[in-house]
Amino acid sequence: MNTLSLFKNRPVASALALALAVGVPASFYAAPAPVEAATGDLDQAVEALRGISTMRANFVQTDRNGQAVSGVMTLKRPGKIRFEYEKGVPLLVVSNGKSMYMIDYEVNQVQRWPIKNSPLGALLDPSRDVKKYGKLIPTSHSDVVSIEVRDPKRPEFGVITLIFARDASAPGGLRLTHWVALDSQNHRTTVRLSNNRYGVSVADSAFTFRDPRRSSRRPG
């Protein structure tokens, strides 16, 4: 597959930058009797997210048409995240703790959004977003915890559903496996994580970028 063709109209990247997904994949609802979430699972999920000081993971991002592209995600508290796409994809999505940027090196364009305008805030600031706007979603597996996060008063911010697997070795006993996002333009994106590494050394410079408009680096 030509990965560049995936981004010609930029729907997948826009969905990632603005929202990052709604709904849990159908496999989680396949059982005739969904498993009700246990009391305290929402609190445990918040603690699991807050327990991540730094994390690096491989990701596979899939659009609503089933086309996929991979890369590496790096996260650092508070509020910093970077999605480095595979070679050949001229895009970068990065947050410096205050704003989310999508940099398109093919057309030398930079777009910026406040973090609070995206359900990605649920991942970057879980104590604020998950507790206030999150709700548990029943799944068909007792070892899976699913949380839907949306602000009903601001539907333009989109929706994100975070899916965790119970894992004693992960912070808070829950490992974030993937999320599904739906932005205000109805663009659906699924991001699946693998090879999660916690507590890795991450310099703040990882959350800067080369500005193609003037060949400089913005502060992290």
Side-chain angles (χ1 to χ4, degrees):
M1 181 191 72
N2 182 351
T3 54
L4 283 177
S5 67
L6 181 63
F7 292 92
K8 286 300 181 184
N9 296 315
R10 301 304 192 267
V12 178
S14 296
L16 178 62
L18 289 172
L20 289 182
V22 71
V24 180
S27 61
F28 287 117
Y29 291 105
V35 177
E36 292 296 328
T39 302
D41 274 349
L42 181 58
D43 288 333
Q44 185 181 3
V46 171
E47 289 305 309
L49 291 173
R50 293 179 66 182
I52 301 172
S53 58
T54 62
M55 182 177 79
R56 187 171 285 122
N58 300 333
F59 74 85
V60 176
Q61 174 185 324
T62 307
D63 72 0
R64 58 184 176 180
N65 297 317
Q67 294 179 301
V69 66
S70 62
V72 176
M73 183 198 79
T74 304
L75 181 148
K76 184 177 183 179
R77 302 274 182 235
K80 297 181 176 69
I81 198 165
R82 180 185 183 96
F83 293 89
E84 185 89 35
Y85 290 92
E86 64 188 79
K87 185 177 180 180
V89 178
L91 290 173
L92 174 68
V93 175
V94 61
S95 164
N96 62 12
K98 296 179 181 179
S99 299
M100 182 75 62
Y101 295 89
M102 185 174 71
I103 305 96
D104 186 334
Y105 290 108
E106 184 177 31
V107 296
N108 296 332
Q109 185 178 67
V110 177
Q111 297 181 62
R112 173 186 173 276
W113 301 271
I115 291 174
K116 66 181 180 180
N117 285 11
S118 167
L120 250 188
L123 182 61
L124 299 175
D125 188 359
S127 59
R128 183 193 69 196
D129 295 303
V130 177
K131 289 290 290 183
K132 185 174 182 180
Y133 302 117
K135 69 175 182 178
L136 292 167
I137 304 296
T139 75
S140 61
H141 303 280
S142 60
D143 60 348
V144 172
V145 175
S146 177
I147 298 173
E148 180 186 275
V149 184
R150 71 168 75 213
D151 183 349
K153 296 181 180 179
R154 304 300 298 270
E156 70 273 18
F157 288 178
V159 186
I160 186 168
T161 300
L162 304 170
I163 298 95
F164 302 82
R166 299 191 192 279
D167 183 346
S169 66
L174 290 176
R175 172 172 47 86
L176 181 64
T177 62
H178 61 290
W179 63 84
V180 190
L182 191 71
D183 72 4
S184 58
Q185 283 74 50
N186 218 32
H187 295 143
R188 180 187 176 107
T189 306
T190 301
V191 178
R192 295 184 180 275
L193 304 180
S194 62
N195 195 24
N196 299 21
R197 290 93 74 194
Y198 304 103
V200 294
S201 178
V202 180
D204 286 340
S205 60
F207 308 99
T208 61
F209 61 89
R210 178 180 61 81
D211 192 329
R213 299 167 300 181
R214 55 179 184 270
S215 298
S216 65
R217 294 179 71 85
R218 299 187 63 89

